[in-house]
């Protein structure tokens, strides 16, 4: 039961009592689920802690370098910490990597050569990669450098099309890119175990195939990572899960030494690689964010499951649903009308610690054939580990949301989204 003080404060913060009652009922049903999420966070907390202890992380690692960034001990040690957590030979963790797309680009361009073929055995990759690969004609794409691309779509039920994948792997196939999270698609997200099965299958056909996983939104959702099941490279963004909300910028590439080095030659310059790259002043945030990441990811997961349960209860279609297993932090809710999508996003924005006073409005976006609405009141621009939501304004009017640095903030944001829907008579409790 909520204490009177808490109830009153929620009221003051704009949340009606009857909504809180429903919330209490839903939270009651989620006890067991939250315990599972906490257990995973506990395991991952120990994993990160041990990696930091084993690598003798020390105060001296928090000062950064400038200029070329030679002998940046903090940077090099952080990379060892990442390599320990992901159980890989090496890691590249840099503030010079601007985003997930950039990290993926560096990993791909560093390891593919003219005449090679790139394979996506899991259907269309994340939107921003279309230009990188050259699926959409773009200056500087891999296609322009003579790297061809093949894609095998998932079967209708979302499973891997093993027959077609076998057919697609040929003498030119150098690297397979596997996107773990559904991103903003409607397919299921893959578990690490499923990814392991796919990798084994492909390596059986071609042992020297480089298997790379786009790990965005997946880090610390399970107690194993794709590199534990055979991935040669694993790539992600520090303004998502592994930055723990504190990293102000950055991306990571972990994996086999040779492949990480190839990527580093692309990030800086051939021959220079990992030796250069100043960390300026961000080392502390990257360490501390990584330390907090398991906890932050658990908060985001609790928010996602809670929202799924609530919206499911109110009769909306949610993906994943309130009870199935989760392999990333993204939640999709189909709200059936543009008004409801807008109300939802206004609620998320109004609940933010930053820019809570602004009203998000749908607007045209490059790459979309309709207006898009985005809610984000984040400390770090575009950080989607912070509570954020976006939706293209088109049928079936699905909003995608993710993040939440604390469970209580995620909860408040979701309650605010519901309150806006209530206020506009778009739902009934
Ligand atoms: C976020 C994301 C990316 C990269 O996006 P950026 O906005 O460039 O960080 C790539 N793949 C997936 C699945 C993602 O979720």
């Amino acid at each position: 039961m909520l204490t009177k003080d808490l109830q009153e404060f929620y009221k003051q913060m704009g949340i009606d009592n009857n909504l809180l009652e429903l919330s209490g009922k839903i939270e009651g049903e989620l006890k067991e689920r939250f315990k599972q999420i906490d257990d995973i966070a506990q395991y991952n907390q120990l994993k990160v802690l041990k990696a930091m202890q084993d690598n003798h992380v020390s105060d001296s690692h928090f000062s950064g370098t400038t200029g070329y960034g030679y002998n940046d001990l903090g940077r090099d040690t952080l990379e060892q910490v990442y390599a320990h957590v992901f159980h890989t030979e090496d890691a590249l963790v840099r503030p010079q990597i601007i985003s997930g797309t950039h990290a993926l680009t560096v990993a791909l361009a560093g390891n593919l050569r003219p005449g090679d073929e790139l394979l996506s055995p899991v259907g269309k990759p994340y939107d921003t990669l279309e230009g990188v690969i050259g699926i959409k004609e773009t200056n500087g794409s891999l296609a322009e450098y003579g790297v061809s691309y093949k894609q095998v779509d998932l079967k209708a039920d979302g499973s891997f099309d093993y027959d077609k994948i076998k057919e697609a792997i040929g003498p030119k196939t150098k690297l397979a890119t596997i996107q773990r999270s559904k991103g903003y698609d409607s397919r299921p997200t893959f578990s690490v175990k499923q990814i392991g099965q796919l990798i084994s299958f492909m390596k059986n056909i071609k042992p020297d195939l480089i298997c790379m996983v786009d790990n965005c939104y997946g880090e610390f959702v399970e107690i194993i990572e794709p590199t534990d099941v055979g991935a040669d490279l694993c790539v992600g963004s520090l303004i998502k899960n592994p930055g723990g909300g504190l990293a102000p910028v950055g991306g990571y590439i972990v994996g086999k030494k040779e492949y990480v080095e190839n990527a580093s030659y692309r990030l800086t310059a051939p021959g220079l690689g990992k030796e250069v790259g100043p960390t300026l002043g961000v080392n502390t945030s990257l360490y501390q964010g990584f330390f907090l990441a398991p906890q932050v990811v658990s908060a985001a997961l609790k928010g996602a499951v809670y929202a799924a349960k609530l919206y499911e209860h109110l009769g909306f279609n949610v993906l994943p649903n309130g009870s199935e297993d989760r392999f990333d932090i993204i939640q999709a809710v189909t709200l059936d009308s543009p008004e409801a999508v807008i109300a939802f996003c206004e609620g998320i924005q109004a609940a933010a610690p930053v820019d809570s006073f602004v009203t998000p409005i749908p607007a045209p976006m490059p790459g979309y054939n309709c207006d898009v609405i985005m809610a984000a009141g984040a400390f770090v621009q575009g950080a989607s580990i912070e509570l954020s939501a976006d939706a293209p304004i088109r049928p079936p009017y699905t909003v995608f949301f993710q993040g939440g640095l604390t469970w209580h903030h995620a909860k408040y944001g979701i309650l605010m989204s519901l309150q806006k829907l209530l206020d506009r008579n778009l739902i009934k409790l």
Side-chain angles (χ1 to χ4, degrees):
M1 260 324 275
L2 286 179
T3 65
K4 200 135 193 68
D5 288 341
L6 195 47
Q7 240 176 30
E8 258 162 37
F9 211 155
Y10 267 118
K11 179 99 198 136
Q12 205 180 315
M13 295 286 282
I15 307 295
D16 289 351
N17 236 324
N18 51 353
L19 196 48
L20 281 180
E21 260 166 47
L22 172 62
S23 167
K25 180 176 161 304
I26 296 290
E27 277 181 76
E29 291 169 14
L30 284 170
K31 282 221 168 72
E32 188 61 28
R33 196 67 197 278
F34 278 21
K35 165 91 171 53
Q36 287 168 6
I37 293 172
D38 284 335
D39 285 348
I40 292 171
Q42 197 173 155
Y43 186 98
N44 286 328
Q45 183 68 78
L46 293 177
K47 183 154 66 163
V48 174
L49 178 63
K50 182 161 194 312
M52 290 190 175
Q53 291 178 344
D54 288 352
N55 284 284
H56 292 188
V57 171
S58 169
D59 194 44
S60 60
H61 294 138
F62 300 149
S63 53
T65 53
T66 56
Y68 293 113
Y70 291 127
N71 304 313
D72 191 316
L73 211 63
R75 177 197 69 205
D76 295 348
T77 305
L78 180 66
E79 290 181 338
Q80 282 314 303
V81 169
Y82 264 72
H84 263 67
V85 164
F86 284 92
H87 304 120
T88 55
E89 292 173 5
D90 208 354
L92 185 68
V93 184
R94 300 293 169 115
Q96 283 81 14
I97 301 177
I98 305 307
S99 64
T101 306
H102 187 201
L104 289 159
T105 303
V106 163
L108 289 170
N111 283 288
L112 290 160
R113 296 291 178 270
D116 288 342
E117 188 156 270
L118 168 67
L119 170 69
S120 173
V122 296
K124 188 183 90 63
Y126 198 73
D127 278 354
T128 54
L129 289 177
E130 290 186 10
V132 174
I133 295 168
I135 299 169
K136 194 175 71 194
E137 208 176 293
T138 305
N139 276 345
S141 69
L142 289 168
E144 225 181 42
Y145 284 91
V147 174
S148 58
Y149 172 70
K150 228 180 228 166
Q151 174 177 316
V152 176
D153 288 333
L154 296 170
K155 293 210 223 170
D157 65 358
S159 64
F160 306 127
D161 194 335
Y162 284 116
D163 292 341
K164 294 240 171 73
I165 293 169
K166 186 168 184 196
E167 254 169 53
I169 298 175
K172 287 183 5 174
T173 319
K174 173 79 166 290
L175 190 152
T177 181
I178 302 162
Q179 186 180 310
R180 175 174 173 181
S181 168
K182 67 179 175 298
Y184 303 124
D185 219 327
S186 55
R187 68 151 165 99
T189 287
F190 307 122
S191 68
V192 170
K193 190 167 163 226
Q194 284 174 302
I195 290 173
Q197 288 161 349
L198 175 59
I199 291 174
S200 303
F201 178 82
M202 293 193 295
K203 293 233 178 200
N204 255 330
I205 299 167
K206 189 163 193 183
D208 62 349
L209 178 71
I210 305 171
C211 293
M212 182 185 92
V213 174
D214 172 355
N215 208 25
C216 283
Y217 287 132
E219 299 89 354
F220 299 130
V221 173
E222 298 182 70
I223 62 169
I224 50 171
E225 298 291 340
T227 42
D228 292 315
V229 295
D232 301 300
L233 277 172
C234 200
V235 181
S237 163
L238 299 198
I239 63 168
K240 293 181 180 171
N241 305 15
L246 293 189
V249 65
Y252 76 89
I253 297 169
V254 293
K256 295 240 166 77
K257 192 168 184 58
E258 179 192 351
Y259 306 141
V260 171
E261 182 165 72
N262 282 341
S264 77
Y265 279 11
R266 182 66 195 219
L267 176 66
T268 63
L272 299 186
K274 293 181 68 185
E275 299 297 315
V276 295
T279 50
L280 308 167
V282 303
N283 269 338
T284 315
S285 308
L286 301 198
Y287 276 102
Q288 205 174 351
F290 197 47
F291 179 70
L292 292 178
Q295 185 66 33
V296 170
V297 168
S298 75
L301 274 173
K302 285 178 185 176
V305 175
Y306 169 77
K309 272 269 183 211
L310 266 173
Y311 276 93
E312 198 170 50
H313 174 86
L314 293 167
F316 294 100
N317 230 329
V318 294
L319 184 75
N321 69 34
S323 33
E324 68 191 290
D325 285 338
R326 303 220 159 210
F327 308 114
D328 67 14
I329 63 167
I330 299 179
Q331 181 63 48
V333 182
T334 296
L335 291 164
D336 308 324
S337 78
E339 294 78 22
V341 164
I342 292 167
F344 183 103
C345 290
E346 283 185 19
I348 296 292
Q349 186 74 40
V354 179
D355 289 333
S356 60
F357 51 87
V358 306
T359 306
I361 48 167
M365 272 266 293
Y368 284 89
N369 57 5
C370 64
D371 283 358
V372 177
I373 185 166
M374 295 186 171
F379 295 102
V380 173
Q381 188 192 104
S384 43
I385 188 63
E386 299 186 50
L387 188 63
S388 45
D390 38 73
I393 305 289
R394 67 178 171 219
Y397 301 104
T398 299
V399 62
F400 294 90
F401 89 90
Q402 65 276 313
L405 296 182
T406 70
W407 146 237
H408 292 129
H409 179 241
K411 172 180 166 178
Y412 176 64
I414 292 148
L415 284 174
M416 241 355 221
S417 74
L418 277 170
Q419 186 70 52
K420 295 274 180 196
L421 287 160
L422 258 184
D423 292 348
R424 290 170 203 182
N425 287 321
L426 294 163
I427 52 167
K428 273 199 188 58
L429 295 188

